[in-house]
Amino acid sequence: MTSRFQYSRWDGTQTGFEFDADAAFDELTDELLYHGDVNAALRKMMQDGMRDRDGNQLQGLRELLEQLREERQNRLDQHDLGGVYDEINDELNDLIDEERHAIENALNDAQRSGDERRAENAQNAAMERNMRLDLMPDDLAGKVRELDTYNFESKEAKQRFDQLMEKLKEQLMQQMVDQMSGAMEQMGPEDMARMKDMMQALNEMLEKHQRGEDPGFEDFMEKFGDFFPEQPESVEELLEQMAQRMAAMQAMMNSMSPEQRAQMQQLSDQLMDDMDLQWQMQQLSGNLQQMFPQMQWNQSYDFDGQDPMGMGQAMQQMQELGDLDQLENLLRNASSPSALAEADMDKVRDLMGDDAAKSLGRLAELTKQLEEAGLIEQKEGRLEMTPKGLRKIGSNALRELFSKLAKDQIGQHETSNIGQGHERTYDTKAYEYGDPFQLDLNRTIRNAVRRTGGGSPVDLHPDDFEIEKTEHFTRSSTVLMLDLSLSMPMRDNFLPAKKVAMALHSLISSQFPRDYLGLVGFSETARVLTPEQLPEVSWDFVYGTNMHHGFTLARQLLARESGTKQIIMITDGEPTAHITPDGYPFFNYPPARETIEATLREVVRCTKEQIRINTFGLGADGSLRAFIEQMTSINRGRAFFTTPENLGDYVLVDFMEGKRALARSARRAG
């Protein structure tokens, strides 16, 4: 079956590639090279964010936290908690005005009646009522207390007051329900008994759970599940949901002024005459505070806005502010992308928008994607790069450096290096065991057709295999000496130098597999590095640039190899350390005479063993430039004085030109 594809003009609505493991790893390359640690690189990317293949920026934690703080502050700047009972207070003031009007009308009617006794009684009653109204407390709780025992003149005002009290009781009851669930929009007196039964059963279940006994969660949900529309699946989930709501209510109380808080408490005491229910609520709150201390029960918010909130709106704002606080705590304490998976993405979307939820979701999947792609793996509780990841990071470094080179320097790298990297002869030979498996497909299929007489499908046999000939006599052996002294990161030279090392290793291992590449890092002392260690190597927190020891180790490595031999040294400092005859490192700045002499003696030994030293000096000043020129005159190698920005261009061009020169001389000799 042939796959069919349909193409259309891009109109701006189509999306490109999804963000995948390869794209993430490409973004991670510089961080992995700089830090030498997968965990540190992932944390850095998690903080800073990244770009997907469409060029869209995925927000990092730093940007998300700033957005979260702005969202919280916007809510605080907009709203005012003083409006929780403003509407009811205004209604009380209005009915008091109605009562005053009724008192005045009753007095006028009595005075116009001509009945002196009636007029006198009306006058006394009006004085008493007006005095009580004049002495009415300003606070809502005080007004409710006084009006509850007040003898109304107006039947309409009395009826309105009774209705307000019922409404206020329902709000307080709803407040209790809201602390536990979001189930019932209106709480009537007929639900009181059932709510008390639920509260008692809930506290009993909680106590059993704390004692390690079977709490009977399924039976509880069967009886009272309608109180909890979220349908929690365990007693732990149920209690956590309740704790979040109670903590939100407590935060609202904490955020009120002392007067507002006292007023609400007095109202509750006056109107909620069911002491058993209040005791059950207090017991539940205390138990939940012990079980979930992380809910920040002492949290409070400073509302500075002008928009007054009713009880329901205030509770909603408190829950959302609590969610913002929990999300901020999660983001601040996340040590790896996988820890972000604990965030409720639906809640993030509601609080901060689609872009934030999308960025956070992709960050949370980052570690899993890289593991599933085989680029990183868990080892003893830490993330490390796999062999595939090591190859990938070298390939990325090589591709980046090659992409910067002018095409006329070393070509487009499309065909000149095939055949396992050796010089191509454009001839073929029958495949023999051990040959690089670089098939010439045309000749291989032609051999099979000749053998079988034609037909399809073509039946291939190992005897049909024909491979491209390559020249194997241009082998070279190279040791890369990488400066790991403290000055390299201080001058921003470390990352470009390490990237060149990774690129050179990738180039030789993939294109010139018969060549040898050794690695030596040097600072106060030098050490041999393996290719597996290279991605994780970092600078040394010591002073000293020990070229002497580095040349010694490089010369020893090359003594075991054949072919043309060279040392490529990348450094930003003159030699300031050497190994003394008794085997100890010696450091001095400025360079001591004995350090310079020891280093140059090792250069002479390399020269006698026909090892060319090519030096790449980064930001070379007068003294470093003078030393490199002196060393080059002894060894007859080459010196390149370059910058971090074009270091890779110089190294790769020089290496490739050297390979071509070797190939040309080998062909002439042949």
Side-chain angles (χ1 to χ4, degrees):
M1 295 291 293
T2 303
S3 299
R4 297 180 63 84
F5 302 92
Q6 184 174 357
Y7 297 88
S8 63
R9 181 182 297 273
W10 183 70
D11 60 12
T13 62
Q14 300 95 331
T15 58
F17 298 100
E18 285 296 317
F19 194 78
D20 57 12
D22 286 338
F25 205 76
D26 290 348
E27 286 287 315
L28 270 175
T29 294
D30 280 5
E31 294 300 333
L32 287 168
L33 287 174
Y34 188 79
H35 294 282
D37 176 21
V38 175
N39 303 273
L42 284 173
R43 285 194 297 271
K44 184 70 165 54
M45 175 176 278
M46 184 173 65
Q47 290 294 326
D48 295 343
M50 57 193 130
R51 290 193 178 275
D52 63 16
R53 290 184 173 181
D54 293 326
N56 300 316
Q57 179 68 30
L58 299 181
Q59 296 169 282
L61 295 191
R62 189 174 289 109
E63 186 176 352
L64 288 172
L65 282 168
E66 182 61 29
Q67 181 181 341
L68 187 151
R69 286 191 289 268
E70 289 178 0
E71 179 65 29
R72 180 195 294 112
Q73 194 59 47
N74 287 339
R75 294 167 185 259
L76 298 178
D77 291 342
Q78 178 182 354
H79 299 293
D80 174 27
L81 265 183
V84 170
Y85 287 118
D86 280 356
E87 182 181 353
I88 294 179
N89 194 46
D90 290 342
E91 289 192 44
L92 286 177
N93 289 335
D94 188 57
L95 70 86
I96 289 174
D97 289 340
E98 183 178 345
E99 170 67 9
R100 287 185 186 276
H101 186 65
I103 293 171
E104 184 178 354
N105 288 339
L107 179 59
N108 291 336
D109 289 344
Q111 289 175 344
R112 285 195 297 266
S113 68
D115 187 338
E116 293 183 2
R117 183 173 179 80
R118 177 186 172 190
E120 183 180 357
N121 289 337
Q123 180 71 32
N124 292 334
M127 289 180 58
E128 181 182 353
R129 286 191 173 104
N130 281 321
M131 183 177 66
R132 288 197 63 178
L133 294 178
D134 290 340
L135 296 176
M136 191 73 64
D138 292 330
D139 64 284
L140 179 60
K143 288 179 183 178
V144 169
R145 182 177 63 252
E146 289 298 317
L147 289 173
D148 192 42
T149 59
Y150 175 77
N151 182 22
F152 281 87
E153 174 67 36
S154 170
K155 293 181 180 179
E156 291 79 6
K158 171 62 174 173
Q159 184 179 5
R160 286 180 61 187
F161 176 73
D162 291 341
Q163 291 173 348
L164 275 175
M165 293 306 96
E166 288 300 319
K167 180 179 179 180
L168 197 52
K169 286 183 180 181
E170 288 177 6
Q171 280 199 345
L172 290 172
M173 282 298 301
Q174 188 63 43
Q175 171 192 325
M176 289 187 175
V177 175
D178 284 343
Q179 290 185 63
M180 297 177 298
S181 72
M184 306 179 70
E185 294 183 0
Q186 290 186 348
M187 190 75 178
E190 67 278 4
D191 299 307
M192 286 284 289
R194 187 161 179 268
M195 182 176 175
K196 288 168 59 177
D197 292 340
M198 184 273 290
M199 289 290 298
Q200 183 177 354
L202 185 62
N203 277 314
E204 291 174 356
M205 183 175 66
L206 192 150
E207 291 171 359
K208 289 181 181 179
H209 178 70
Q210 289 178 319
R211 292 195 299 265
E213 302 174 7
D214 180 8
F217 174 73
E218 291 77 10
D219 292 339
F220 176 84
M221 289 300 294
E222 185 176 349
K223 293 179 182 178
F224 305 109
D226 57 312
F227 279 89
F228 309 96
E230 299 92 343
Q231 292 299 309
E233 298 182 357
S234 66
V235 64
E236 291 83 5
E237 187 178 346
L238 168 65
L239 295 175
E240 184 173 3
Q241 291 173 0
M242 295 175 59
Q244 289 175 345
R245 286 194 168 87
M246 283 195 160
M249 184 61 197
Q250 186 62 49
M252 185 174 74
M253 296 290 289
N254 297 341
S255 303
M256 290 180 172
S257 66
E259 295 78 11
Q260 292 170 338
R261 194 158 47 245
Q263 178 174 294
M264 180 170 285
Q265 186 61 51
Q266 291 171 17
L267 270 175
S268 178
D269 293 341
Q270 288 176 42
L271 299 175
M272 301 301 297
D273 52 1
D274 194 319
M275 298 304 296
D276 183 53
L277 182 58
Q278 289 195 24
W279 182 83
Q280 294 280 6
M281 286 290 294
Q282 292 171 359
Q283 184 184 25
L284 178 62
S285 177
N287 286 330
L288 290 177
Q289 288 189 40
Q290 289 182 356
M291 292 182 65
F292 299 96
Q294 74 278 10
M295 291 292 181
Q296 298 180 322
W297 298 87
N298 296 322
Q299 179 66 281
S300 64
Y301 303 98
D302 295 325
F303 288 91
D304 298 322
Q306 302 297 320
D307 184 11
M309 295 183 291
M311 175 68 75
Q313 187 182 8
M315 280 293 296
Q316 180 68 26
Q317 284 296 328
M318 288 300 165
Q319 289 183 19
E320 292 181 359
L321 286 168
D323 290 338
L324 287 171
D325 289 343
Q326 289 186 23
L327 179 58
E328 180 179 15
N329 187 58
L330 172 64
L331 300 187
R332 285 189 178 281
N333 294 298
S335 58
S336 68
S338 57
L340 301 176
E342 298 180 17
D344 184 335
M345 295 305 168
D346 291 334
K347 194 171 290 185
V348 174
R349 187 173 292 104
D350 292 339
L351 294 171
M352 301 176 64
D354 290 337
D355 290 343
K358 181 180 178 181
S359 294
L360 196 59
R362 286 187 169 180
L363 286 175
E365 295 172 358
L366 184 57
T367 300
K368 181 181 178 182
Q369 282 183 312
L370 294 175
E371 286 186 298
E372 289 179 348
L375 297 169
I376 63 174
E377 61 184 350
Q378 288 276 356
K379 280 189 176 180
E380 299 179 358
R382 286 181 55 81
L383 290 170
E384 295 184 5
M385 274 183 286
T386 63
K388 180 180 178 181
L390 295 175
R391 293 192 299 271
K392 175 72 172 173
I393 196 173
S395 175
N396 287 350
L398 180 62
R399 184 179 68 246
E400 178 185 337
L401 294 179
F402 265 156
S403 68
K404 294 168 56 180
L405 298 176
K407 292 182 179 180
D408 60 349
Q409 287 182 305
I410 52 176
Q412 298 183 28
H413 315 289
E414 294 175 350
T415 61
S416 62
N417 290 326
I418 64 174
Q420 297 299 307
H422 301 289
E423 293 299 317
R424 191 177 177 189
T425 65
Y426 298 93
D427 196 4
T428 62
K429 63 182 287 290
Y431 171 76
E432 299 178 51
Y433 179 77
D435 285 337
F437 197 68
Q438 189 71 24
L439 280 182
D440 184 306
L441 291 179
N442 289 333
R443 292 182 179 272
T444 297
I445 294 175
R446 187 183 303 168
N447 293 340
V449 171
R450 286 175 179 171
R451 178 176 54 80
T452 61
S456 62
V458 177
D459 182 22
L460 291 179
H461 188 273
D463 292 338
D464 302 324
F465 295 162
E466 196 158 337
I467 64 170
E468 295 176 346
K469 271 187 177 181
T470 53
E471 298 175 353
H472 300 303
F473 44 76
T474 61
R475 184 178 193 271
S476 63
S477 298
T478 303
V479 171
L480 176 66
M481 282 177 52
L482 182 62
D483 190 344
L484 301 180
S485 63
L486 195 57
S487 62
M488 290 287 282
M490 291 174 62
R491 298 170 182 168
D492 294 326
N493 292 330
F494 178 75
L495 179 58
K498 188 175 176 183
K499 190 176 293 186
V500 167
M502 289 295 303
L504 190 60
H505 173 260
S506 179
L507 175 65
I508 291 176
S509 60
S510 62
Q511 302 297 316
F512 306 101
R514 293 179 182 269
D515 280 9
Y516 168 77
L517 176 65
L519 301 166
V520 172
F522 63 99
S523 56
E524 183 186 37
T525 60
R527 61 185 184 276
V528 176
L529 303 171
T530 65
E532 293 75 21
Q533 292 174 319
L534 184 55
E536 298 183 359
V537 73
S538 186
W539 61 85
D540 298 325
F541 286 91
V542 293
Y543 293 103
T545 305
N546 198 333
M547 295 180 188
H548 167 248
H549 195 199
F551 285 139
T552 301
L553 295 182
R555 184 171 54 82
Q556 292 171 355
L557 290 174
L558 291 172
R560 299 191 289 267
E561 302 300 327
S562 60
T564 303
K565 302 178 182 181
Q566 67 172 332
I567 294 173
I568 297 176
M569 179 173 68
I570 301 174
T571 184
D572 69 349
E574 55 195 313
T576 55
H578 71 281
I579 301 297
T580 62
D582 52 0
Y584 292 98
F586 170 85
F587 164 77
N588 191 75
Y589 183 85
R593 179 183 180 85
E594 51 263 46
T595 297
I596 299 294
E597 292 177 349
T599 304
L600 292 178
R601 281 196 299 270
E602 196 57 46
V603 171
V604 170
R605 293 189 183 100
C606 290
T607 304
K608 290 181 178 179
E609 296 182 22
Q610 297 184 335
I611 299 172
R612 174 178 287 187
I613 301 173
N614 293 333
T615 305
F616 296 83
L618 294 166
D621 56 15
S623 56
L624 174 58
R625 181 183 290 268
F627 173 79
I628 292 177
E629 290 174 348
Q630 182 181 7
M631 181 177 63
T632 302
S633 67
I634 295 173
N635 180 260
R636 301 300 180 185
R638 285 176 295 176
F640 301 86
F641 301 103
T642 182
T643 65
E645 290 74 24
N646 57 21
L647 171 64
D649 302 2
Y650 277 77
V651 174
L652 293 184
V653 170
D654 180 63
F655 181 82
M656 293 297 293
E657 289 297 335
K659 291 296 296 180
R660 288 179 175 177
L662 285 173
R664 288 193 295 268
S665 63
R667 282 197 292 270
R668 286 195 296 269

